[in-house]
Amino acid sequence: MEENRIIPTHVSIIMDGNGRWAKQRGLERVSGHKEGRESVRACVTCAAKTGIKYLSLFAFSEENWNRPVKEVSALMDLLVDSIAAELGRFVENNIRVLVLGNRKRLNPIVQNSIRSAEEKTASCTGMTLIIFLSYSGKWDIFQAAQRMAADMAADPKRKFSMEDFDSYLVTAGIPDPDLIIRTSGEQRISNYLLWQAAYSEFYITDIMWPDFREKELTDAIEEFSRRDRRYGKVK
Ligand code: IPE
Ligand code: IPE
Ligand code: MG
């Protein structure tokens, strides 16, 4: 690893390919999700060790509610189990957990589990681990617009800037992702961080999420280090 590499502040991962990973092995889709959980563990450890300040994971989209009920409940159970299993380690490693998305759609067991993870890690000052759950970029922009419109109506004299709009998104206070990784070779955003990804670097790999571990994350960060971010300017 190069010594002078640039470490991204916020790395975000669209964890994709669990189902195909399982299918390739003649297994049920849920086996892919279970193995994917090991990748989450490996990437959280690697990101914290690397000095990444924010690691965010797209765990479940608003569109994923349209999957078969059996798969949705397996995913929710897996999330609750993982939080219970990892919470001690998060506290030990000073990792703050945030879960962002449309919480109203989550069942009470999931809501309690994420509330407890957030509360127990609230004073952690190391890496922030963000789990996007029941999240979609259009939903986020829409709910932000609605809340800002209400504040505008309540205080017609107040001027609102584009930066003010940021503070209505669920990611308020979190820097935009520097690097967005998508596994399984799909080259699309799938309604993820539409506003926040304005200047993110994209890294797409054919590797399926259950096979994406420390080496793969380190490779992505190395590649990010070689990118030239110009933000529309001339260098
Ligand atoms: C990612 O893997 C997990 C979620 C989206 C919840 P998929 O379940 O999308 O796996 P593929 O894309 O069908 O292989
Ligand atoms: C994107 O994966 C959502 C998550 C990783 C949570 P999908 O598998 O749902 O995306 P599409 O359907 O291929 O666009
Ligand atoms: Mg998929």
Side-chain angles (χ1 to χ4, degrees):
M1 175 89 52
E2 293 164 40
E3 279 308 308
N4 57 354
R5 73 199 163 125
I6 301 153
I7 305 292
T9 302
H10 181 174
V11 174
S12 194
I13 311 179
I14 303 176
M15 309 182 290
D16 200 9
N18 295 353
R20 277 163 285 165
W21 181 93
K23 198 175 173 201
Q24 284 162 3
R25 287 159 182 78
L27 303 167
E28 294 284 321
R29 291 178 59 82
V30 68
S31 305
H33 298 317
K34 283 189 179 143
E35 193 59 26
R37 175 177 154 171
E38 300 306 315
S39 297
V40 170
R41 186 179 292 150
C43 288
V44 169
T45 306
C46 173
K49 199 169 74 185
T50 308
I52 287 163
K53 295 271 176 273
Y54 297 86
L55 174 69
S56 59
L57 304 173
F58 197 10
F60 192 87
S61 71
E62 282 273 75
E63 290 77 12
N64 290 149
W65 288 113
N66 299 320
R67 291 190 179 194
V69 179
K70 208 176 120 219
E71 179 164 347
V72 171
S73 52
L75 281 165
M76 293 297 154
D77 289 351
L78 209 56
L79 179 86
V80 171
D81 280 2
S82 303
I83 288 178
E86 303 295 327
L87 197 49
R89 223 189 316 259
F90 292 151
V91 175
E92 224 170 87
N93 293 303
N94 202 19
I95 296 171
R96 179 171 66 132
V97 179
L98 287 179
V99 182
L100 304 179
N102 187 359
R103 288 196 185 207
K104 284 188 201 125
R105 297 190 75 171
L106 301 169
N107 77 40
I109 295 166
V110 179
Q111 292 202 20
N112 288 340
S113 152
I114 62 182
R115 195 179 311 116
S116 141
E118 288 179 331
E119 281 171 8
K120 292 203 170 83
T121 62
S123 57
C124 293
T125 54
M127 187 175 82
T128 299
L129 170 65
I130 303 156
I131 299 164
F132 284 97
L133 191 66
S134 190
Y135 179 86
S136 87
K138 283 193 179 184
W139 165 81
D140 195 6
I141 293 167
F142 187 62
Q143 67 79 29
Q146 279 181 313
R147 293 197 296 125
M148 193 166 97
D151 285 352
M152 283 173 150
D155 187 358
K157 285 208 194 77
R158 188 178 150 197
K159 292 268 178 285
F160 286 81
S161 66
M162 207 137 68
E163 285 69 36
D164 289 326
F165 185 72
D166 277 330
S167 69
Y168 289 91
L169 294 163
V170 292
T171 48
I174 297 165
D176 288 344
D178 300 290
L179 171 65
I180 296 181
I181 298 168
R182 183 162 187 156
T183 57
S184 85
E186 302 299 354
Q187 304 189 36
R188 55 179 168 262
I189 190 96
S190 296
N191 205 357
Y192 191 36
L193 298 167
L194 300 180
W195 177 276
Q196 300 88 335
Y199 262 107
S200 303
E201 293 293 327
F202 280 87
Y203 179 89
I204 291 165
T205 170
D206 286 339
I207 293 165
M208 301 293 168
W209 176 246
D211 290 328
F212 192 92
R213 302 284 164 97
E214 178 166 1
K215 185 198 174 287
E216 288 72 25
L217 181 57
T218 305
D219 286 351
I221 294 164
E222 292 256 346
E223 156 82 27
F224 171 83
S225 226
R226 291 190 290 270
R227 299 277 178 93
D228 185 12
R229 302 179 84 188
R230 288 188 290 278
Y231 299 99
K233 297 176 196 158
V234 179
K235 264 198 181 165

